[in-house]
Amino acid sequence: MRGAMDEPRLRRLLGGEDTAWLLDRVRRRLELGKPVAGTVTLASAGVEQRRAVERLLGRRAGSGRSLTVSLEEIDAVLRVSGAAPEGLAAATRALLGTVPDRAAEATAWMAVYEPLAELAERRPELAAWRAWLDATGMIRRLTAGPADAARLVTELVRVLDRLPAAGVALGRLAAETTGDAHGLDDGKALATLTLAAVRVLAGAAPTGDGSTFERRSAWAAVGVHRDELSSSVLCVGLPGGVTTLVGRMVALAREAGEPCALTLRQLNRERSDLGVRDGHVWVCENPIVLASAADELGTRCPPLVCLSGQPSAAVLRLLDLLAETGAQLSYHGDFDWGGVRIGNTLRDRFGWRPWRFDAPSYRAALASAPGGTLAGRPVDAVWDPDLRPALEHHGIHVQEELVLPDLIADLSAAATVP
């Protein structure tokens, strides 16, 4: 059995200023995972540095300007003398504190990233997010080391494998994937990394403006709602029915010619009787369109649903209910890159028809609407390959409000008197 380290004696032999260079050389080898063996040399050694080595070895340390020392010899001296029965490596750690093994650490970090590489291979749509992780070093910045990072990555992959979802509460998603209902709360490392991936899945950049609305919209785009009450959708003109609460609500609103706000909670509680069946539903991006339609058409307004920007979980749930009964959706949005991304998201899910939302309509709008400078990252419009080139060519965005008369005219033409 090895004896205990004689720390006072060890410090006298090896812990002084004149042997600091020797400890530094050993520390570097330990960090790189190299064996503590061979020789080390100090060029232009001073008198006191040479004497310190001679006291340690119990013999003369040669002559000349440089000083060369055998690490095996020092190791043997420390073991035999009892100053450090476990040798030079243990002595170095005792004198300098924890010495990180850089080689082992590098290997551990490589293992951390392996599940992310496998995820990116399975989910090529996450490539931009994976590149963002590498460019920012975000995982290292958010964790205390490889072990902490490995736990985080395991949970991260587990969460992303559940997305996109078909309507799930954020707390429930967190509980089912991490065992903690608050595991995806704002400010937590897992939420930061997951939200960046969610934005990419929604067709945006990994970083957002950080606002509550932006975060809620990003989650909603992949079918996750922060709670069932804050997620809502505006509609007007839905016929409704008498067999469900939501059906009665929208029927009363239509009878009064007024818009109706439905929460996700209400839409999730029962299979709502919306009364549309295989009829036509118009979908717009901005509330001003819906409000203007209600003002001008009142009880004659045909079924119209408003996204209010990025579609919330409530919006997607309502459109799902409508599509399940065979309703035909026609969509109009802002002529800008954000509007195109929203259109792509809806197109993949519902297969809507353009409502004055294609390249010819854009060019026609430019002739009568002033618009503004188009900004943001370009994206193809999956429903019209000519729309992106037209937007890039003119460099002008046109919001729905600027073509409101045309949209109201379409709704008016589709209106029927009850």
Side-chain angles (χ1 to χ4, degrees):
M1 181 176 177
R2 292 173 176 170
M5 185 175 294
D6 186 346
E7 191 168 336
R9 185 176 185 186
L10 176 62
R11 291 194 176 279
R12 288 196 302 272
L13 289 173
L14 200 56
E17 181 179 347
D18 295 321
T19 54
W21 70 274
L22 181 56
L23 286 176
D24 183 64
R25 303 295 176 83
V26 177
R27 175 186 59 77
R28 293 182 193 174
R29 293 185 178 225
L30 291 173
E31 286 181 347
L32 296 174
K34 294 181 178 180
V36 182
T39 61
V40 292
T41 300
L42 176 66
S44 302
V47 174
E48 295 303 320
Q49 290 170 322
R50 189 177 296 278
R51 288 178 178 174
V53 170
E54 290 174 348
R55 287 194 296 271
L56 174 61
L57 298 177
R59 62 171 179 79
R60 288 198 63 185
S63 59
R65 294 178 59 83
S66 65
L67 175 60
T68 299
V69 180
S70 166
L71 296 179
E72 288 94 343
E73 185 178 2
I74 295 177
D75 183 85
V77 168
L78 293 175
R79 292 175 186 273
V80 172
S81 69
E86 294 187 358
L88 179 55
T92 301
R93 293 189 175 94
L95 293 172
L96 298 182
T98 301
V99 179
D101 185 338
R102 302 299 182 192
E105 184 179 24
T107 301
W109 275 114
M110 289 177 62
V112 165
Y113 288 99
E114 286 178 2
L116 294 176
E118 294 172 359
L119 176 65
E121 186 174 348
R122 286 189 288 111
R123 305 279 299 275
E125 65 271 26
L126 286 169
W129 170 75
R130 181 70 180 85
W132 173 80
L133 288 179
D134 289 339
T136 60
M138 191 61 67
I139 290 180
R140 285 179 180 258
R141 289 164 57 184
L142 293 175
T143 56
D148 186 30
R151 287 190 293 271
L152 177 61
V153 167
T154 297
E155 292 183 342
L156 179 59
V157 172
R158 193 179 300 139
V159 173
L160 293 179
D161 275 338
R162 290 282 301 275
L163 301 177
V168 63
L170 183 63
R172 181 175 179 179
L173 176 65
E176 291 177 352
T177 54
T178 72
D180 178 6
H182 297 285
L184 288 167
D185 284 359
D186 292 340
K188 292 198 171 182
L190 181 60
T192 298
L193 298 176
T194 305
L195 191 54
V198 162
R199 293 184 180 110
V200 170
L201 288 175
T207 55
D209 63 22
S211 67
T212 300
F213 175 78
E214 184 273 331
R215 293 195 300 272
R216 180 179 290 115
S217 298
W219 283 115
V222 293
V224 179
H225 56 86
R226 295 171 71 89
D227 63 76
E228 289 187 309
L229 293 178
S230 65
S231 181
S232 63
V233 54
L234 293 172
C235 60
V236 67
L238 294 178
V242 297
T243 61
T244 67
L245 172 61
V246 170
R248 293 194 297 272
M249 289 173 61
V250 297
L252 286 171
R254 183 172 188 262
E255 184 179 337
E258 285 294 323
C260 181
L262 301 174
T263 67
L264 181 63
R265 179 185 176 89
Q266 293 163 341
L267 292 167
N268 277 340
R269 284 298 174 269
E270 54 192 347
R271 195 167 190 80
S272 304
D273 181 11
L274 300 170
V276 175
R277 307 293 189 280
D278 58 354
H280 194 178
V281 177
W282 306 80
V283 184
C284 62
E285 183 179 340
N286 298 287
I288 187 64
V289 178
L290 186 138
S292 299
D295 289 342
E296 297 192 28
L297 302 177
T299 59
R300 297 178 56 249
C301 186
L304 175 63
V305 176
C306 179
L307 305 185
S308 299
Q310 283 286 349
S312 66
V315 168
L316 296 175
R317 175 59 177 162
L318 176 56
L319 295 180
D320 277 335
L321 291 171
L322 291 166
E324 286 169 7
T325 62
Q328 303 298 310
L329 306 180
S330 292
Y331 174 66
H332 185 279
D334 290 335
F335 282 112
D336 58 20
W337 300 125
V340 173
R341 288 188 173 87
I342 293 172
N344 286 341
T345 299
L346 295 180
R347 182 79 171 193
D348 290 342
R349 186 160 178 161
F350 302 110
W352 53 267
R353 295 179 294 183
W355 172 22
R356 294 183 183 268
F357 200 42
D358 50 22
S361 299
Y362 171 63
R363 286 188 284 266
L366 290 177
S368 58
T373 302
L374 181 66
R377 183 165 57 90
V379 60
D380 291 330
V382 295
W383 67 95
D384 182 2
D386 294 329
L387 182 54
R388 173 175 176 170
L391 285 165
E392 290 181 313
H393 175 73
H394 293 284
I396 297 174
H397 71 79
V398 179
Q399 296 174 330
E400 275 189 315
E401 293 86 339
L402 298 178
V403 294
L404 190 54
D406 291 332
L407 301 181
I408 299 301
D410 291 339
L411 294 172
S412 179
T416 57
V417 178

